[in-house]
Amino acid sequence: MKQLFGGLFLGVGILIMTCSGLCSLVVVVTGFGMALQDPSIIILPLLIGGIPFALGFGLFYWGKWLLRRSDDQAM
């Protein structure tokens, strides 16, 4: 059961990090012209996209920990 949830957390974490990172990248690239005028606008995608990215990384790390933990108890 730990392997199932570990794999699910790992996969969902990767998907969330990928979608959040790509969305932030698109916002930064499309707003590059405005960022040349006001450099502080680059922080906005980091705030909006950074929180889901951090949650995705947490799920990824938790899933990795669960998968590693289930192997340790099998021995």
Side-chain angles (χ1 to χ4, degrees):
M1 192 59 134
K2 286 182 182 180
Q3 290 179 342
L4 173 68
F5 282 114
L8 285 174
F9 289 157
L10 197 72
V12 170
I14 289 171
L15 288 174
I16 290 174
M17 285 190 303
T18 303
C19 291
S20 173
L22 288 176
C23 183
S24 295
L25 181 67
V26 167
V27 170
V28 168
V29 168
T30 56
F32 188 70
M34 291 176 58
L36 290 175
Q37 296 170 357
D38 185 19
S40 65
I41 204 160
I42 292 177
I43 294 174
L44 193 62
L46 293 176
L47 290 175
I48 295 171
I51 294 170
F53 187 84
L55 290 174
F57 182 76
L59 284 173
F60 172 77
Y61 190 75
W62 191 14
K64 209 167 136 180
W65 179 78
L66 278 176
L67 287 174
R68 192 173 296 142
R69 182 85 172 149
S70 64
D71 289 343
D72 290 344
Q73 290 180 357
M75 289 182 177

